[in-house]
Structure formats: structure tokens, C-alpha cells
Amino acid sequence: MGDRLPSIPDITREYGVARNTAADALDVLTSEGLAVARPGSGTYVRAQPEIRRLVRSWNRNARGGSPFAGEMANQGQAGTWDYDSRTAQASAAVRERLALDEPPAGDPDVVRTTYTFRGDGNPVMLSTSWEPLALTRGTPIVMPEDGPHAGAGVVERLRQIGVQVTHSAEVVSARPATEDEAKRLDVGNAAIVLTIERTYYADTRPVETADIVIPVDRHQVVYGTSMWDEPAGE
């Protein structure tokens, strides 16, 4: 925690502004993630986190295991994640990304999993993934975090049912975090996040798609490609 900021009465007295103006100034600093309010104590300058790199490359998934856990281990951190998986009917946008036909009314056609990924207990990134039930229904990998291959990563899990992921496509952009994202990532409401729309393919067939959210004030994303003919991965 950093230095303690002047209180509302201090700001009002020193700068000759109204109490509401002083309160608004502190609220802006807090909402933008520059300060932290501690009830009964005051408002403090928020310590700026060390910027770390997140590596995204085919080779990491080709080795098996969780790519995220491997990346955190390389940084000397314990990689963990919270998740919620359930069957659902995909939205029109997700159905287009997965090249799915329109299902009968109300029938689920994907397994949707939401993740909060953590390094040493601190939030690193969010992800929401969708896997076609037509591909995984009735197999040991239908739920990504249950069964004998739980947590192994998309590429390794699909390999277990004879599906070889050959490549991925990613669309990268940036925007302000939503209120829910800011809360889950423990960042300010106006924080900028990197968004990655990723889709895995087995040749021309899309086999999984995900929306990934990463706070830019904490992480740089590094992309790498292999010059060798190796299986692809995250």
C-alpha cells in the first residue's frame, strides 16, 4: 500500500473546493484503480503491480498439461483457477464461430465454462470458453474440469478423443473492463483490458472458442511461433 492521500476535509480546506468536489476527486482515483479506499482509515495510493509477460505459443500446448499452470511455474508462481461449467445453448455469435447449426428450441449445444485464472492467488486473466456438445457428448472430456483429463488444456483433452488440433486463430483488441470484469480482476472500473477472441481448429473444423480478458496494467502478451512442424496449442 502506498502513501495516504489527504482526507476530504483536508482537500476542502487546502484547495478551497466544496466537499462534494473533494469526494468526487477521491472517487475518480479509486474508480480508475489509482487509489484504494480503506473504511475507517482513509484513501491510499495504490501500489502499481509489476508487469509480467504471458507467453502464447503453439509449443506450450503441444507439451501437454495446462499451458497456464506451466506459464505460472516459469514465473515462480502457483497457477490455479476457479471455474463454472454447464451445458448451454450458444449465442448466435458463438454458433457462428463454431460453425454450429441452429439447434432445436431450448436444446443445449455447447459446454460453456467461465474461468478466473490466478497466479499465487492473485487474478491474472478471465476466460469464457465454449465447446460443441456434438464433439464431446458421451466422452470422458465433456466437462473440461471433471473426469480423468480435467485441467489438461484444450489441445491435450481433445487429443484424448482422437481430435488433433492443428491451429488457432486469434482476434486481439482492447476496451474498458466491464463492472463484473473489474471486480473479478481486482482492477479499477475504468481499467483497460486486452481481449482475445480465440478459436481452435482441427483442420477446417472449429472445435473450441473462447473470449479471454487480460488487464494491460499487469501483463504483456507475447506471441511465438514455431519453425518446426509441431502440433499447435495455446
Side-chain angles (χ1 to χ4, degrees):
M1 192 70 66
D3 296 338
R4 186 177 186 276
L5 294 173
S7 66
I8 292 175
D10 290 339
I11 295 173
T12 299
R13 187 166 48 250
E14 181 172 353
Y15 295 100
V17 297
R19 181 180 179 85
N20 287 346
T21 302
D24 289 344
L26 292 178
D27 286 344
V28 168
L29 293 174
T30 302
S31 67
E32 292 186 355
L34 300 176
V36 177
R38 299 176 62 185
S41 177
T43 303
Y44 295 81
V45 175
R46 185 172 194 144
Q48 295 304 303
E50 175 186 357
I51 295 181
R52 297 178 178 270
R53 290 187 171 186
L54 293 177
V55 177
R56 301 179 63 78
S57 70
W58 287 112
N59 291 342
R60 288 181 181 269
N61 246 354
R63 298 170 189 162
S66 164
F68 177 77
E71 176 62 19
M72 290 298 98
N74 288 339
Q75 298 184 20
Q77 299 187 71
T80 58
W81 49 92
D82 307 323
Y83 69 91
D84 177 69
S85 292
R86 60 188 66 192
T87 59
Q89 188 171 101
S91 67
V94 170
R95 190 171 294 113
E96 181 178 0
R97 285 159 61 174
L98 289 173
L100 299 177
D101 294 331
E102 191 75 25
D107 285 359
D109 54 356
V110 294
V111 171
R112 178 182 184 269
T113 305
T114 57
Y115 291 94
T116 300
F117 290 93
R118 305 178 187 277
D120 283 349
N122 299 311
V124 173
M125 67 180 182
L126 309 176
S127 176
T128 303
S129 69
W130 297 268
E131 298 181 3
L133 274 169
L135 185 66
T136 63
R137 183 185 280 114
T139 74
I141 70 161
V142 64
M143 290 295 177
E145 301 298 328
D146 295 324
H149 308 292
V154 178
V155 173
E156 179 62 24
R157 288 176 47 253
L158 289 175
R159 189 180 293 133
Q160 300 302 319
I161 61 171
V163 177
Q164 182 65 53
V165 174
T166 55
H167 64 286
S168 71
E170 297 194 346
V171 179
V172 181
S173 188
R175 57 167 172 77
T178 66
E179 183 177 350
D180 176 66
E181 291 167 347
K183 182 177 180 180
R184 292 168 62 193
L185 289 168
D186 190 23
V187 296
N189 291 336
I192 300 300
V193 292
L194 187 73
T195 63
I196 302 173
E197 179 188 298
R198 180 202 67 205
T199 303
Y200 280 134
Y201 293 85
D203 294 324
T204 59
R205 181 183 183 181
V207 293
E208 187 259 12
T209 194
D211 289 334
I212 299 165
V213 179
I214 302 171
V216 299
D217 67 337
R218 298 179 187 172
H219 299 284
Q220 295 176 329
V221 177
V222 181
Y223 283 86
T225 57
S226 172
M227 303 309 293
W228 304 96
D229 186 16
E230 294 184 336
E234 183 178 18

